[in-house]
Amino acid sequence: MIPITHGNTPSLAPWLARRAALPAVLVSALDACAAAPVEQGECADVLDLLVMLGCDAQTQAAALWFALAQAAPAAYEVQAAALAPELRRLVEGQQAAEKVWALHAQRSGAASSEGLRRLLLAIIRDLRVVFVLLARQLARMRTALALSESARTELARLTRDIHAPLANRLGIWQLKWELEDLAFRYLEPDTYRRIAKLLDERREDRESFIRQSLAELDKALTAAGIHADLAGRPKHIYSIWKKMQRKALAFSDLYDIRAVRILVDSVADCYAALGVVHALWPYLPGEFDDYVARPKANGYRSLHTAVIGPHGKTLEVQIRTHDMHRANELGVAAHWRYKEGGSADAEFESKVAWMRKLLEPRADGEGELAAELQTELLEDRVYLLTPRGEVFDLPHGATVLDFAYHVHTEVGHRCRGAKVNGRIVPLTYQPHSGDRVEILTTKVGEPSRDWLSAHHGYLNTARAREKVRAWFRRIAHDANLAAGRAMLERELKRLAMPNADLTGMPAQFHLKTHDELLIALALGEVNPGQISRLLQEAAQPPAPPETAPALPASRPPAIDQSALSIEGVGNLLTVLARCCQPLPGDPVRGFVTRGRGVSVHRADCAALARLARRDPDRVIDVSWGRVAAQAYQVDIELHGYDRKGLQKDVTAVISNANIPIIASSSRMFVRTGEVEMRFTLRVRDYEQLSHLLAKLVALPNVVDARRVGSR
């Protein structure tokens, strides 16, 4: 599609005049906007910019439908039901971005711009929305002089903090330069006018110098047999000011006010042209950058050099291929290929993967993107807001209690409740990106040991669990010992194994004494489920598979090491870690040892967390291969006080644990109001049973839950 050039008062008329040649999805959006009170000049400008970026007709239509939704919500609602689901998602992505603009307007400090950029990309599920947001912001900035000074200043701040950095990280230079210059013009009008005046005063001399330089270059390149397109390179006012600030230089000391660009057909021609330039004019040492062999983080590729050109004046020369130039000017948009029901090429897929990580830290002058996402992609994080509009990011699956500890350790310790979007939620609630979370605290508080139990679901981040453990480490040794002993005794009673032999158990966790095991249990470094697993293996002798009775009379079969598949490294020797003893179906991760292959740990293993902090590069992803299903039959008994919905809640907990119920019965004692329930279940192992019993006991009105035979 060819861009349409508008006059002084752009409108949608030229687009409507070509409606017969346009896709139906775009025509319907144009017709709807033409009949509504939308800002036609802005819409036309946005469409032109999206065409320049190579965006598909569906993206262009979504920009128009959003304009209609803003100008005439009722008219949009009438037609929205008939839109394709994907088109509605593109509109919803633009509406979600309005939340970020509102937060920016009420932000408490400049540091929040980092979090707002990350929040923006987290709540947008279709990355085509980013192009629409950038195009619309540029269209608004082009007409900002018509706004009041306060509105114009706020629009420029939003552009500087959100849109221009995003365009830069995407490598869309055509939008980036104009967004930066316009924001600079409205935020620093005096400085902008001063630099513009200095540029204008020397324009005639500079243009004459550029013409002479291009003529000499063309002659030298032709003699060398290199076909090239030559042009002067425009210098943008904001970039001039940034360089003056960064290098503490006066305008007269800048060498790259005079610049030319050489476009060639191949990478080999780039380096050949570089040799011609350096042979023609002496180059300035230390001013050569090879972004072809070592591209910038956002994919920018070019050769940069500075030389002493005609009349002894400095000249900056950029050399690149035509493909590099197109990619540099349009960034990721240059590779955009949307196909209905199809997929893009490998290069574009890699660009999308990069886009998902484009908020990683940078070493350049922006200096605002400080938080490191490491190997996690944006969709693996949730971005949450405090009541003051500050943005915090946590791993996907984090609870409100994790959020409390992320805000501050003391906030976590004193946390007793939380509100999400004004609604009170339990501490195990997992909020979603964009939610506003308010932590309810007491003046004096302390964490609960239950927070360290994985099956209770209070904490899902290692950072928060470590802070709770640190708190308990500070209290008396005897208190931890007593708490660990109580936890162990309670677990043994639940499993109907009060007289189990625990002699060799400390060694299984690389601990020396029974007291160390109790303290580790109290601190959450060993969980009751791991104890249960070892008890199951140790309590019964192995039995032939054909005569294996129900739990606990059978011993789990040894795990076939070949059942592990290790992502990205092929077949390696694998060893199951003794510290956490993972079983098939458990979430697992691997640690590359020296000389013993890959040690496989449970994903929540405390020992693995310590190893990962020390050598993060040696932690790899592993997954279970095909492992034969195994289950045991077990009877459990539950005691409590009757209430409405109790049985429904109990069965829901069992169902959510993916444990089949083979048989069940219950009876109520009317005089006392007590209730007794019995279930015959099919469980994988003792650990699964242990987790289930702990969740059942946590239900309101439930007093006790244990295997039958335990008293």
Side-chain angles (χ1 to χ4, degrees):
M1 193 177 294
I2 301 173
I4 299 172
T5 304
H6 301 290
N8 293 330
T9 56
S11 72
L12 291 174
W15 285 88
L16 290 166
R18 300 179 61 245
R19 66 197 314 276
L22 299 175
V25 67
L26 183 54
V27 171
S28 60
L30 283 167
D31 290 342
C33 286
V38 302
E39 179 53 58
Q40 291 205 8
E42 179 182 302
C43 288
D45 204 6
V46 170
L47 287 178
D48 289 346
L49 289 167
L50 292 176
V51 169
M52 179 198 71
L53 293 174
C55 293
D56 62 297
Q58 198 165 36
T59 306
Q60 298 168 38
L64 294 176
W65 285 117
F66 174 76
L68 178 65
Q70 279 199 311
Y76 172 74
E77 289 300 326
V78 170
Q79 302 187 61
L83 298 180
E86 188 171 8
L87 193 55
R88 287 201 302 271
R89 282 197 297 271
L90 288 170
V91 176
E92 290 165 1
Q94 297 171 73
Q95 293 171 330
E98 295 296 313
K99 179 186 295 185
V100 178
W101 312 157
L103 289 170
H104 183 272
Q106 65 183 29
R107 64 190 181 141
S108 57
S112 65
S113 60
E114 167 204 331
L116 292 178
R117 284 196 292 268
R118 291 192 282 161
L119 174 62
L120 175 65
L121 291 191
I123 62 180
I124 292 175
R125 307 315 303 168
D126 192 318
L127 292 174
R128 288 176 290 173
V129 173
V130 176
F131 300 130
V132 181
L133 299 179
L134 294 177
R136 179 176 293 111
Q137 192 71 5
L138 180 52
R140 290 174 176 172
M141 288 293 290
R142 287 173 173 176
T143 59
L145 279 175
L147 302 175
S148 66
E149 183 177 355
S150 61
R152 185 168 59 245
T153 301
E154 182 55 39
L155 187 67
R157 286 199 185 101
L158 181 64
T159 302
R160 178 196 62 190
D161 294 342
I162 306 295
H163 297 83
L166 280 179
N168 182 46
R169 303 306 295 279
L170 290 169
I172 307 177
W173 301 107
Q174 286 194 356
L175 269 59
K176 174 220 183 222
W177 294 125
E178 193 170 354
L179 286 168
E180 287 181 341
D181 275 5
L182 288 172
F184 185 53
R185 175 184 181 182
Y186 299 136
L187 294 175
E188 302 283 348
D190 294 337
T191 307
Y192 180 91
R193 282 193 292 267
R194 178 170 60 85
I195 296 176
K197 184 179 179 181
L198 289 170
L199 282 172
D200 191 58
E201 286 175 351
R202 302 185 180 185
R203 177 172 297 173
E204 186 174 340
D205 289 342
R206 187 168 63 253
E207 290 178 352
S208 175
F209 173 80
I210 293 296
R211 283 194 298 271
Q212 181 180 353
S213 301
L214 291 176
E216 293 185 24
L217 259 179
D218 185 54
K219 183 178 178 181
L221 291 169
T222 301
I226 301 173
H227 178 267
D229 292 332
L230 308 177
R233 186 177 68 85
K235 197 64 183 176
H236 298 272
I237 293 176
Y238 179 73
S239 66
I240 292 173
W241 177 78
K242 276 189 68 176
K243 183 163 288 189
M244 291 170 64
Q245 297 294 111
R246 188 168 65 250
K247 296 190 174 183
L249 297 174
F251 181 84
S252 57
D253 296 328
L254 295 176
Y255 69 82
D256 59 348
I257 297 300
R258 298 169 292 272
V260 297
R261 179 176 292 142
I262 302 173
L263 301 182
V264 294
D265 296 328
S266 67
V267 173
D269 286 346
C270 287
Y271 290 100
L274 178 66
V276 171
V277 172
H278 285 174
L280 182 62
W281 299 307
Y283 69 91
L284 297 175
E287 296 295 341
F288 171 69
D289 292 299
D290 187 348
Y291 297 122
V292 173
R294 295 180 299 278
K296 289 186 177 181
N298 57 11
Y300 177 88
R301 301 181 72 201
S302 184
L303 297 177
H304 290 193
T305 188
V307 298
I308 306 297
H311 314 299
K313 295 180 179 179
T314 57
L315 175 69
E316 184 188 57
V317 182
Q318 293 183 354
I319 307 169
R320 62 184 69 151
T321 67
H322 292 278
D323 288 341
M324 290 177 195
H325 180 63
R326 184 171 63 255
N328 291 346
E329 290 298 297
L330 301 182
V332 174
H335 302 274
W336 187 265
R337 281 191 0 191
Y338 178 77
K339 296 181 180 180
E340 188 68 28
S343 59
D345 55 32
E347 181 180 6
F348 174 68
E349 292 299 331
S350 67
K351 284 283 186 178
V352 170
W354 171 78
M355 284 176 70
R356 293 289 191 182
K357 297 184 285 186
L358 43 73
L359 293 179
E360 289 177 347
R362 296 181 54 154
D364 60 12
E366 284 184 21
E368 297 175 8
L369 302 172
E372 184 175 0
L373 298 183
Q374 296 178 353
T375 59
E376 294 172 335
L377 303 182
L378 281 171
E379 60 265 30
D380 294 329
R381 312 287 290 181
V382 289
Y383 296 82
L384 307 175
L385 305 167
T386 68
R388 294 190 299 173
E390 299 167 293
V391 181
F392 289 89
D393 66 294
L394 286 87
H396 180 73
T399 65
V400 291
L401 186 56
D402 285 306
F403 176 80
Y405 275 103
H406 194 82
V407 172
H408 196 278
T409 302
E410 283 303 314
V411 174
H413 288 342
R414 295 188 288 113
C415 175
R416 288 301 176 268
K419 289 183 179 180
V420 174
N421 300 327
R423 180 173 61 90
I424 293 179
V425 297
L427 293 182
T428 56
Y429 181 80
Q430 298 178 5
H432 307 285
S433 285
D435 285 347
R436 191 181 294 266
V437 182
E438 179 184 355
I439 301 300
L440 308 177
T441 61
T442 59
K443 290 185 178 180
V444 178
E446 60 186 47
S448 166
R449 292 189 188 273
D450 286 342
W451 294 358
L452 291 171
S453 298
H455 50 266
H456 284 143
Y458 287 108
L459 296 173
N460 288 331
T461 64
R463 174 181 176 182
R465 284 195 295 267
E466 186 56 37
K467 288 183 176 181
V468 176
R469 290 190 187 108
W471 190 92
F472 283 111
R473 287 191 189 102
R474 290 197 299 267
I475 69 176
H477 174 273
D478 291 345
N480 280 323
L481 197 62
R485 182 175 290 109
M487 292 172 68
L488 180 60
E489 290 175 354
R490 183 169 63 246
E491 188 66 18
L492 294 176
K493 287 180 180 179
R494 281 180 185 168
L495 297 175
M497 301 181 69
N499 301 316
D501 182 10
L502 306 178
T503 305
M505 191 165 290
Q508 297 289 334
F509 298 100
H510 304 286
L511 301 172
K512 295 180 180 179
T513 66
H514 185 69
D515 284 358
E516 287 184 5
L517 174 62
L518 296 178
I519 292 174
L521 190 60
L523 296 177
E525 294 174 350
V526 172
N527 65 61
Q530 293 171 288
I531 300 288
S532 303
R533 180 179 298 176
L534 291 178
L535 290 174
Q536 177 186 359
E537 294 182 354
Q540 302 296 332
E546 62 273 14
T547 59
L551 180 74
S554 66
R555 179 187 178 97
I559 297 172
D560 180 7
Q561 302 297 312
S562 65
L564 284 168
S565 60
I566 302 176
E567 298 179 6
V569 295
N571 294 324
L572 290 180
L573 173 66
T574 57
V575 178
L576 296 181
R578 297 180 64 190
C579 53
C580 57
Q581 296 187 323
L583 278 181
D586 291 338
V588 289
R589 301 204 74 190
F591 184 80
V592 181
T593 65
R594 293 186 172 91
R596 294 188 299 110
V598 177
S599 176
V600 180
H601 298 253
R602 288 168 53 102
D604 59 357
C605 176
L608 177 64
R610 290 192 293 271
L611 293 171
R613 285 194 294 270
R614 189 181 66 200
D615 293 301
D617 294 338
R618 293 166 63 189
V619 178
I620 63 174
D621 291 330
V622 300
S623 60
W624 295 102
R626 292 188 300 108
V627 180
Q630 178 179 337
Y632 303 93
Q633 188 169 303
V634 61
D635 295 326
I636 67 169
E637 190 173 84
L638 182 145
H639 293 270
Y641 291 93
D642 190 36
R643 62 172 172 83
K644 183 179 179 180
L646 176 61
Q647 186 156 5
K648 178 183 175 182
D649 291 346
V650 170
T651 55
V653 168
I654 298 173
S655 176
N656 291 336
N658 294 320
I659 296 176
I661 300 176
I662 299 174
S664 67
S665 63
S666 64
R667 61 174 178 167
M668 190 178 74
F669 302 92
V670 179
R671 187 173 60 83
T672 61
E674 293 179 272
V675 64
E676 178 184 284
M677 299 182 189
R678 279 197 160 202
F679 295 90
T680 301
L681 309 175
R682 188 172 295 278
V683 299
R684 184 182 67 239
D685 53 28
Y686 270 3
E687 182 175 16
Q688 188 181 34
L689 176 62
S690 172
H691 289 181
L692 174 66
L693 294 174
K695 289 180 179 179
L696 291 175
V697 169
L699 288 174
N701 285 36
V702 175
V703 176
D704 188 26
R706 62 184 67 187
R707 273 188 62 227
V708 171
S710 169
R711 284 295 177 189

